[in-house]
Amino acid sequence: MVGGDQAAFERTKPYFEPMGKMLFYCGGPGMGLHAKLTQNLVLANIMEAFNEGMVLATKAGVPPELMLDVLNNSAAKSGLISFKAPYILDRNFETNFATKWMHKDIGLALDTGKQLGVPLPGTSITQQMFQAAISMGYGEDDFCSTVQVLENWAGVTVKKS
C-alpha cells in the first residue's frame, strides 16, 4: 500500500514489486499507512475471535481439527485462519509477523481512531489480549501465539489430537 501521488506511484512501482504480490495506490501522503493499519486491525481482531472460539470449542470437547473443518466450510471461513490454524494446531509459533509488531500496529490504529473520533471497542480488547501475550513472553513469537493466553486461562490446549 503506497501513498503519494499517482505518478510517483507508477514511477516507484517496479521497486516495490519484489516486496509484495499486489500493490495498491491508496491516495495522498499517509493513506497507505491508514490502509496498512486497517488491514492489521482486521487481521488482529479475526485472530482474537478465532482464538476465543477454538479455546471454547476445545474446552467443550469439540476436537480442534473438526472445529476448523466446520469453520472452513461455513460463512466464518477466513483466509487468515486457513493459513494460521495449522501452525496453532502444530504448536508452531515461529515468527512470520511478531506479536509485538501487531500490538504496535493495533495501538497506532487505536490512536488514529481517537484522532478521527472513531470508536474501536473490539480492537481495544484485542490490544489488551496482545499485551497479555507480550507480558507472558510471546512478543517475539508469531501473532497466532496469542492463543496461548486464552489456553492458559481456560486450562486447555488447542492442538492436533
Side-chain angles (χ1 to χ4, degrees), residues 18-125:
M19 296 188 295
K21 295 177 186 171
M22 298 182 75
L23 297 174
F24 297 92
Y25 175 71
C26 298
M31 295 301 103
L33 174 62
H34 290 304
K36 175 191 179 288
L37 293 177
T38 298
Q39 176 185 344
N40 284 352
L41 174 153
V42 171
L43 291 174
N45 282 311
I46 289 170
M47 183 56 62
E48 178 59 25
F50 177 74
N51 290 346
E52 290 180 15
M54 291 299 285
V55 168
L56 177 66
T58 301
K59 184 78 175 197
V62 178
E65 297 101 322
L66 174 60
M67 191 67 241
L68 182 58
D69 195 28
V70 169
L71 294 172
N72 280 332
N73 289 286
S74 73
K77 183 176 177 134
S78 159
L80 173 71
I81 300 311
S82 294
F83 178 70
K84 290 291 187 184
Y87 291 98
I88 293 171
L89 296 181
D90 288 339
R91 312 310 292 167
N92 177 359
F93 302 119
E94 186 177 322
T95 307
N96 287 306
F97 190 59
T99 299
K100 69 180 182 181
W101 299 127
M102 184 62 87
H103 179 263
K104 173 197 62 84
D105 283 358
I106 295 167
L108 292 171
L110 287 168
D111 290 346
T112 300
K114 187 175 183 179
Q115 291 168 6
L116 297 175
V118 177
L120 303 169
T123 303
S124 295
I125 293 168

